Amino acid sequence: MITRSLFISHNSLVCEESAVMSSSQGSSPLPKSSGGRGTSDGLFRKPREPSTASRHYRPPRSLPDVCPKEPTGDGRGLCDGPSVVADQHRWTVYNSKVNLPAALNDPRLAKRESDFFTKTWGLDFAETEVMPSFYLPNITREHFSSYLQETAQREKIHERCKNICPNKDDLSVPTITNNHDKARAELEQVPKIFMRPEFVLNDPATFNAVLPWSHFSIAGSKNNRDVASSRLLQEKLSHYLDVVEVSIARQISLRSEAFFHAMSSQHELQDRLRETANAVAKLRARTTAIDRVMCRGPLRVLRDALTRDNCVKLHNKLKLMAAVHQTQPTVQLLLSTSEFVGALELIATTKEVLQQELQGIHSFRHLGSQLCEMERLIDKMMVADFSTYAQSDLNRPCEEDAQVLEKDRLQSLVFGLLRQRKLDFLDIYSEEMNHAAKNLVRQSVLKSVSQINETDANTIKLHEQMRLMTFQRWFDLLLDIFENFVLFLKRIKVTLSVIRNVVLEVLDSSQRSRLAEATLAINHSDSRANEDEEEEESGSVRSGEAELAYLTHEGLFISDALNEAEQRAGASTQTQSRAQVRLEACGSDSASATTESSSSREHNSNTTSSLPIGGAGAISEDVMPSDLELGQVANNIQELLYKASDVSHDRCAKVLMTRAKDGSLERLSSSEFVCLSQAVESFVKDTEELCGRRSVSLRGALQSQAHRFVQRFHEERKNKLSLLLDNERWKQADVPAEFQDLVDSIADGRISLPERKLTGSEDRKPSEFLCVDGQKYAVVGTVLLLIRMFLEYCQCVNDIPSITTDILTRLADLLKHFNSRSCQLVLGAGALQVVGLKTITTRNLALASRCLQLVVYYIPVIRAHFETRLQPKQYSILRHFDHITKDYNDHISEISAKLVAIMESMFEKALSKYEVKAPMPSACLRNVCKQIAKMHEAIFELLPEEQSQMLFLRINASFKLQLKRQLGRLGVINDGGPQYGLVMVDVAFYSENVQALRSLEHLDLNMPEIWEQKR
């Protein structure tokens, strides 16, 4: 609140000062105010506008206006706010410094003042000190020193004006204020419509507003009232005119001194201008004399020197024009010998000379367009020549080697095409490469077909003739095509390597030239900096030939000017002579190089090096492709080599698919298809080594045929296995020596079919058992052939690795088929109807079990073999073998359970008639022992000893269970009675007979289990 009150007080003082200053606007010197704030500091202050000063006074009310449509000049709007002049001695709310609640509740006072409620409310009501603000600096007189220095000159002018126009000291501030109020009151009587800028009596609205015709009668009658109204209107207008004239006269009287002072100053200014004009006339006369005596002669000498320089330049231009005139015949001579690079260099040099040295020559106005047309013609000729070269290179006979054809010609063509930015020449080579690949296959087929006498090449198409070939002849044709394509790719590779070397040389040259330009630019900038420093030190000014005409009093002599002009003329002449020499050298070098196409690039480098400073860089940047484009061309060359490999594989795949269209490849034998697969793999490997990329089209075609071959291969073996099983009588077969050798080779780690039969195997006799890892396996003939079959599958994987997964699934299917079909025939008794067996004997069951055990033995071997051919991500497919092993083991367990079930049914039938009575041993037990002996005889040679013991332990457990039930039914217990003794005689007989069998001597029968345990 205190700060706000101080701010309001400060504003009140500023308003008071401005009001006093505005009251004195009629005169230049301001009167001193009674408060001491006027012009006591001696500074001139700009008077405020009348509108600013007029709003602080309360003017008298004006009389009612004669114009009813014009608003009256009511002054209430001007005196609604506080007035500093009228209310400066009256206290207002703006003078408040302290609020009453803060004064009453001041905690810093120990006790209240006794006169608190008797003091006068005001500035001194509370004893407070306003702390200086930390954000406002301490203002001293030094802060106004710069302002006082700037206004010192204006203050002097102001003091001088005060002397010229003396101050009206007799006029006090109240007098000025009263006169101002009176003049303002009089002016406010005048309606405001007359003061508007747009006041025009031609406007009907304005005219009706000034002359209110509504006060006069209608129909032109002149009565006393109308006469009085018109007289009153005329007096009002005259009064307004008098008021305005008096105000204008007052303003003129106030400024009369300044007006007369301005008139006197104008006369003085005219006198000074007259003296200045006389001085200028004298100076011009002296300058004219100096020009006549000292400048005209030297300038004439300089003009003659420049004329001589122009003549020398003209002579050089004419010699240069003569050299340019010989460009077209030289270009035609170069084109006649197919020297495209030299012709392009000559055209480029000529175009550069035309643009730089001979620009604007009328006789050469059509030469530029002619050169451009010739350049376009050369572009077409180079493209056609490159296409011809590609045809001749790619369609060479296969008897030739893989060397580059006309290497110099190829390098010249590639350099010319790069120089002309014809970067699509690789597309031309690609198209010719496709045509050449087709022709290569066609020629190979025609050559092979021509050797067949029984075919008519005119009536049968080529693809049909290929299908009519035998496999061996077609396979020889395919090998011939593979060999031709390998040679074809070698030629393409060496050709593209030459093109790539040219591109890399151009790229390296461009980088070296750019580096040289950068070094030259740095050196040039350094030399220019040194020259600028020397010029600054010497103080010389070189601003052109026109400045040489001016001489200083220190003596810039004419000899120096002439020397500089001669140096510039010599530099220009040297530039023209270099251009002429360059044209002549380009023409002569190109003409002499027509028989040496290998020198084209050297000629280009010589021509570039003979250019003036910056010429080589200009040609390199404007003519040759950029580094990015050259890098893209180099990448396209590598991609073109990849494309050549893909094209070769595509054509070979088409030959392969043409042969396979009628299904002939599916009917190949395993050895034939393996030969085909190996040939394709060899070709793929050769092309990958040449081109650095593995194409997939031929491999994919072979893969599709391999799938069909595997499908047919599997169907044949599966059908063969089904036929073997359907004709199998499940009797033990003799094992030929070759099968024993085959199993031995598997044990040695060779999981493949032997290439040929071993000598001496036919002389050896077959054996009864198949020895595998020290164990004897009694097998049927089908299992021996099954072993050979899965070895054939493994051999296919060795020969054709790409079909590993497919072969694995097919082999798994074959093993599942053997398991399921054998189960149907033996356990399911299907052999009774299929083969015509009378019954499925225990020997049949034991033999089937042993065959299944042999297959289970080889499943891990097969799994390990396939695992080495699979990728780690393909190992999940090996789970098929785990499922097959489980199925086989379940089948073996079912056969064992079937054997036990056969004996159990026999025990149940025999023991159901068992009676405990003499003679002993009983006939029932004799029959049981006889059946056990027969079963032992049937399976003893088929199953190993451990399996026989385990089987008879289960049979013994079944016998004890059935005997125990029968004894329970008979009521015989372990009481030591006669019946117990008879039963023990039978049990002893049973135990002796069972333990008398081979390999069952130490079998623990545990016969006491037949008795019920006593509780």
Side-chain angles (χ1 to χ4, degrees):
M1 180 64 74
I2 297 174
T3 306
R4 179 180 177 186
S5 302
L6 290 174
F7 177 74
I8 293 173
S9 300
H10 178 265
N11 288 341
S12 301
L13 294 175
V14 172
C15 293
E16 181 181 355
E17 181 180 355
S18 61
V20 175
M21 292 176 62
S22 62
S23 63
S24 60
Q25 62 178 346
S27 60
S28 298
L30 300 176
K32 297 180 180 181
S33 62
S34 60
R37 291 185 179 272
T39 56
S40 62
D41 53 356
L43 299 179
F44 175 76
R45 291 181 176 83
K46 183 178 179 180
R48 291 182 178 270
E49 296 180 359
S51 61
T52 306
S54 62
R55 66 187 179 185
H56 297 290
Y57 300 95
R58 184 189 300 274
R61 295 180 180 272
S62 60
L63 295 176
D65 200 345
V66 296
C67 301
K69 295 184 179 181
E70 191 71 14
T72 58
D74 192 359
R76 290 182 181 180
L78 299 174
C79 60
D80 290 341
S83 175
V84 177
V85 177
D87 302 332
Q88 59 180 338
H89 301 296
R90 188 177 62 183
W91 186 91
T92 64
V93 72
Y94 300 108
N95 298 92
S96 176
K97 297 297 186 296
V98 181
N99 59 352
L100 184 59
L104 293 175
N105 299 308
D106 190 354
R108 295 173 296 178
L109 297 179
K111 62 179 181 177
R112 292 184 179 176
E113 300 176 5
S114 58
D115 57 348
F116 183 80
F117 293 101
T118 59
K119 287 194 301 184
T120 303
W121 184 264
L123 293 175
D124 299 331
F125 184 81
E127 297 178 359
T128 58
E129 294 183 1
V130 180
M131 297 296 294
S133 175
F134 296 102
Y135 302 101
L136 297 178
N138 187 15
I139 304 301
T140 60
R141 187 173 181 80
E142 284 74 10
H143 290 84
F144 298 95
S145 60
S146 59
Y147 173 74
L148 294 175
Q149 291 177 3
E150 292 176 0
T151 58
Q153 185 66 24
R154 287 186 287 175
E155 184 181 5
K156 294 178 183 180
I157 297 174
H158 175 65
E159 293 297 334
R160 187 165 58 249
C161 291
K162 285 172 62 178
N163 296 331
I164 295 174
C165 299
N167 192 8
K168 296 182 180 181
D169 297 331
D170 54 344
L171 296 176
S172 60
V173 174
T175 306
I176 295 173
T177 302
N178 295 334
N179 293 335
H180 182 74
D181 293 342
K182 182 178 180 181
R184 179 170 180 174
E186 293 176 354
L187 283 175
E188 286 185 353
Q189 295 179 5
V190 180
K192 293 183 180 179
I193 190 172
F194 295 103
M195 304 300 179
R196 293 179 179 175
E198 63 273 6
F199 176 77
V200 179
L201 285 177
N202 294 339
D203 186 9
T206 305
F207 186 81
N208 292 331
V210 174
L211 299 176
W213 296 103
S214 59
H215 292 188
F216 301 95
S217 300
I218 305 174
S221 61
K222 295 183 179 181
N223 50 22
N224 295 330
R225 185 173 177 275
D226 295 339
V227 172
S229 298
S230 61
R231 185 178 297 110
L232 178 61
L233 177 62
Q234 183 176 4
E235 291 177 358
K236 274 286 184 182
L237 294 177
S238 299
H239 176 67
Y240 295 158
L241 179 62
D242 294 339
V243 170
V244 173
E245 288 179 350
V246 169
S247 178
I248 292 174
R250 185 181 297 108
Q251 295 295 330
I252 292 175
S253 64
L254 292 175
R255 291 170 175 79
S256 59
E257 293 84 354
F259 174 76
F260 290 114
H261 172 66
M263 292 297 296
S264 61
S265 299
Q266 182 70 20
H267 292 301
E268 183 180 358
L269 182 61
Q270 290 179 356
D271 294 340
R272 292 184 180 179
L273 288 175
R274 194 179 299 108
E275 293 176 359
T276 304
N278 294 333
V280 170
K282 292 179 181 179
L283 180 60
R284 287 181 175 177
R286 293 177 61 187
T287 304
T288 303
I290 291 174
D291 178 62
R292 183 177 63 256
V293 175
M294 300 184 65
C295 295
R296 290 184 181 179
L299 287 176
R300 188 180 299 110
V301 174
L302 181 60
R303 190 178 298 110
D304 293 341
L306 295 177
T307 302
R308 180 180 179 278
D309 293 339
N310 291 334
C311 292
V312 173
K313 291 179 181 179
L314 178 61
H315 180 256
N316 293 333
K317 291 284 185 183
L318 291 175
K319 291 193 294 182
L320 189 61
M321 291 172 64
V324 170
H325 187 66
Q326 298 298 323
T327 299
Q328 287 181 312
T330 307
V331 170
Q332 294 175 358
L333 178 62
L334 293 172
L335 293 180
S336 63
T337 57
S338 300
E339 185 60 33
F340 304 111
V341 178
L344 290 173
E345 289 294 337
L346 182 58
I347 290 174
T349 306
T350 305
K351 290 171 68 176
E352 183 184 358
V353 171
L354 286 175
Q355 294 176 359
Q356 296 181 0
E357 306 295 339
L358 301 180
Q359 188 176 9
I361 302 299
H362 186 71
S363 58
F364 288 153
R365 65 185 183 277
H366 300 304
L367 183 59
S369 60
Q370 293 173 359
L371 293 177
C372 292
E373 188 65 29
M374 293 178 68
E375 193 171 6
R376 286 192 291 270
L377 177 62
I378 292 174
D379 292 346
K380 296 180 180 179
M381 293 176 65
M382 284 194 301
V383 171
D385 197 8
F386 183 79
S387 178
T388 303
Y389 174 84
Q391 292 178 2
S392 60
D393 178 47
L394 295 173
N395 293 316
R396 282 185 288 170
C398 298
E399 291 77 13
E400 299 182 9
D401 55 4
Q403 298 297 325
V404 182
L405 180 66
E406 299 181 19
K407 181 178 180 180
D408 296 337
R409 177 188 174 191
L410 176 62
Q411 291 176 341
S412 177
L413 283 173
V414 173
F415 184 82
L417 291 170
L418 289 177
R419 193 183 183 284
Q420 293 303 107
R421 293 180 177 270
K422 296 294 182 180
L423 305 182
D424 57 345
F425 65 93
L426 293 178
D427 298 336
I428 300 173
Y429 194 85
S430 177
E431 294 177 1
E432 296 297 334
M433 181 178 65
N434 292 332
H435 294 313
K438 294 180 181 179
N439 293 332
L440 188 148
V441 174
R442 184 178 182 83
Q443 294 300 326
S444 299
V445 174
L446 288 174
K447 180 180 177 181
S448 178
V449 169
S450 63
Q451 299 175 2
I452 304 175
N453 298 326
E454 61 270 13
T455 59
D456 189 359
N458 296 325
T459 60
I460 303 176
K461 296 182 180 180
L462 290 179
H463 60 85
E464 295 179 355
Q465 293 176 6
M466 280 195 297
R467 296 194 192 102
L468 293 176
M469 295 180 182
T470 62
F471 172 76
Q472 188 59 40
R473 186 178 294 277
W474 177 83
F475 185 68
D476 294 338
L477 170 63
L478 185 63
L479 293 179
D480 187 36
I481 292 175
F482 285 166
E483 183 180 357
N484 293 338
F485 268 116
V486 170
L487 180 61
F488 178 72
L489 292 177
K490 288 181 179 179
R491 292 175 179 174
I492 292 176
K493 183 176 182 180
V494 295
T495 302
L496 292 180
S497 64
V498 173
I499 298 175
R500 183 182 179 85
N501 291 336
V502 173
V503 174
L504 294 180
E505 287 179 8
V506 173
L507 180 61
D508 184 61
S509 176
S510 174
Q511 293 176 351
R512 282 190 278 107
S513 63
R514 188 163 56 252
L515 181 61
E517 288 176 16
T519 306
L520 185 62
I522 293 174
N523 296 335
H524 185 63
S525 61
D526 293 341
S527 61
R528 287 293 302 273
N530 296 332
E531 290 178 1
D532 293 341
E533 292 177 359
E534 293 177 359
E535 289 179 357
E536 291 177 0
E537 292 176 0
S538 60
S540 60
V541 180
R542 301 175 183 177
S543 58
E545 296 179 355
E547 296 181 359
L548 298 177
Y550 295 97
L551 300 177
T552 62
H553 63 281
E554 296 177 355
L556 178 60
F557 298 108
I558 296 299
S559 59
D560 298 335
L562 291 178
N563 291 334
E564 185 176 355
E566 289 177 358
Q567 290 176 0
R568 295 186 180 182
S572 177
T573 304
Q574 186 178 3
T575 303
Q576 293 181 358
S577 63
R578 279 201 300 267
Q580 181 178 357
V581 169
R582 188 173 63 208
L583 273 175
E584 294 174 356
C586 185
S588 61
D589 291 347
S590 301
S592 62
T594 55
T595 59
E596 299 177 1
S597 59
S598 63
S599 63
S600 59
R601 281 184 291 147
E602 297 178 359
H603 170 262
N604 176 58
S605 61
N606 294 333
T607 305
T608 305
S609 61
S610 65
L611 294 174
I613 297 175
I619 288 180
S620 177
E621 293 180 2
D622 298 340
V623 178
M624 298 304 293
S626 63
D627 293 351
L628 182 61
E629 292 174 336
L630 292 174
Q632 186 65 33
V633 171
N635 294 334
N636 292 339
I637 292 173
Q638 187 64 34
E639 292 295 332
L640 185 59
L641 183 60
Y642 295 157
K643 184 178 180 181
S645 176
D646 294 340
V647 168
S648 301
H649 282 252
D650 291 342
R651 304 314 302 178
C652 294
K654 191 171 183 180
V655 173
L656 186 66
M657 298 307 293
T658 302
R659 176 71 178 184
K661 193 171 183 180
D662 58 349
S664 58
L665 293 183
E666 300 177 14
R667 296 188 294 271
L668 295 179
S669 64
S670 300
S671 59
E672 291 174 343
F673 195 86
V674 167
C675 292
L676 176 61
S677 176
Q678 290 176 350
V680 172
E681 290 294 334
S682 177
F683 176 70
V684 171
K685 183 178 180 181
D686 293 340
T687 55
E688 184 179 359
E689 291 177 356
L690 276 175
C691 304
R693 180 180 181 179
R694 173 172 291 189
S695 300
V696 297
S697 58
L698 180 58
R699 187 185 293 270
L702 178 64
Q703 188 71 20
S704 63
Q705 294 303 316
H707 289 319
R708 296 179 182 177
F709 168 76
V710 169
Q711 182 67 26
R712 183 195 59 81
F713 176 85
H714 174 65
E715 292 297 333
E716 289 181 355
R717 272 114 188 111
K718 187 175 181 180
N719 294 333
K720 183 178 179 180
L721 181 62
S722 298
L723 291 175
L724 290 173
L725 288 172
D726 291 343
N727 294 316
E728 181 62 56
R729 303 189 65 85
W730 298 100
K731 292 183 179 181
Q732 183 177 0
D734 293 334
V735 179
E738 59 175 324
F739 283 97
Q740 184 61 53
D741 295 338
L742 193 63
V743 170
D744 294 339
S745 66
I746 295 176
D748 295 337
R750 296 189 301 272
I751 307 177
S752 61
L753 291 174
E755 297 180 1
R756 56 185 177 84
K757 292 184 178 180
L758 298 176
T759 58
S761 61
E762 298 179 355
D763 300 336
R764 291 184 295 170
K765 295 180 179 180
S767 60
E768 295 182 1
F769 298 95
L770 183 67
C771 295
V772 179
D773 195 16
Q775 291 188 14
K776 293 181 179 181
Y777 285 88
V779 295
V780 296
T782 304
V783 174
L784 295 176
L785 296 177
L786 178 62
I787 294 174
R788 186 177 183 86
M789 286 180 187
F790 69 68
L791 286 179
E792 290 177 354
Y793 280 82
C794 294
Q795 183 67 39
C796 284
V797 172
N798 295 336
D799 297 333
I800 314 173
S802 60
I803 60 174
T804 302
T805 56
D806 204 4
I807 284 287
L808 189 149
T809 55
R810 298 297 193 278
L811 179 57
D813 182 65
L814 184 70
L815 295 175
K816 289 179 180 178
H817 178 68
F818 174 78
N819 185 37
S820 62
R821 188 59 181 163
S822 61
C823 181
Q824 293 173 3
L825 293 173
V826 179
L827 281 179
L832 299 179
Q833 293 80 19
V834 176
V835 185
L837 296 179
K838 295 181 179 181
T839 182
I840 302 297
T841 64
T842 55
R843 188 175 182 84
N844 298 140
L845 291 172
L847 190 59
S849 176
R850 197 58 175 160
C851 292
L852 294 174
Q853 293 174 19
L854 178 62
V855 176
V856 170
Y857 174 83
Y858 279 113
I859 288 178
V861 179
I862 299 172
R863 177 193 175 103
H865 177 75
F866 276 91
E867 187 174 0
T868 58
R869 268 69 178 173
L870 291 175
Q871 300 293 331
K873 61 183 180 181
Q874 298 175 332
Y875 284 168
S876 60
I877 200 173
L878 295 174
R879 67 180 183 274
H880 291 297
F881 292 111
D882 299 334
H883 298 161
I884 293 171
T885 303
K886 182 178 180 300
D887 293 340
Y888 271 73
N889 290 327
D890 293 342
H891 191 184
I892 294 170
S893 299
E894 290 177 1
I895 292 177
S896 299
K898 183 65 175 178
L899 291 173
V900 175
I902 291 173
M903 296 303 295
E904 185 176 2
S905 63
M906 186 271 296
F907 291 152
E908 184 179 1
K909 182 178 180 181
L911 292 177
S912 64
K913 301 176 181 180
Y914 176 68
E915 295 179 358
V916 183
K917 62 181 180 178
M920 291 296 171
S922 63
C924 180
L925 263 295
R926 291 176 184 276
N927 187 25
V928 169
C929 291
K930 182 180 178 181
Q931 293 297 329
I932 292 175
K934 289 176 61 176
M935 182 175 182
H936 180 269
E937 183 181 0
I939 68 174
F940 174 74
E941 296 180 353
L942 302 180
L943 297 179
E945 183 177 350
E946 295 80 4
Q947 292 185 17
S948 298
Q949 292 177 357
M950 293 300 298
L951 178 62
F952 277 95
L953 280 176
R954 294 178 62 185
I955 292 173
N956 180 56
S958 177
F959 170 76
K960 289 189 294 184
L961 179 62
Q962 296 298 329
L963 181 59
K964 183 177 180 181
R965 291 178 180 175
Q966 183 63 24
L967 292 176
R969 286 193 292 267
L970 295 175
V972 180
I973 60 175
N974 185 10
D975 58 355
Q979 288 185 338
Y980 170 76
L982 293 175
V983 172
M984 292 304 298
V985 171
D986 285 338
V987 170
F989 176 76
Y990 167 79
S991 300
E992 290 176 1
N993 280 274
V994 172
Q995 292 179 350
L997 301 176
R998 287 181 295 178
S999 72
L1000 301 181
E1001 295 86 359
H1002 305 289
L1003 191 65
D1004 186 11
L1005 300 178
N1006 195 11
M1007 295 307 294
E1009 290 183 354
I1010 63 174
W1011 303 107
E1012 290 286 345
Q1013 298 293 331
K1014 294 181 180 181
R1015 298 180 181 178

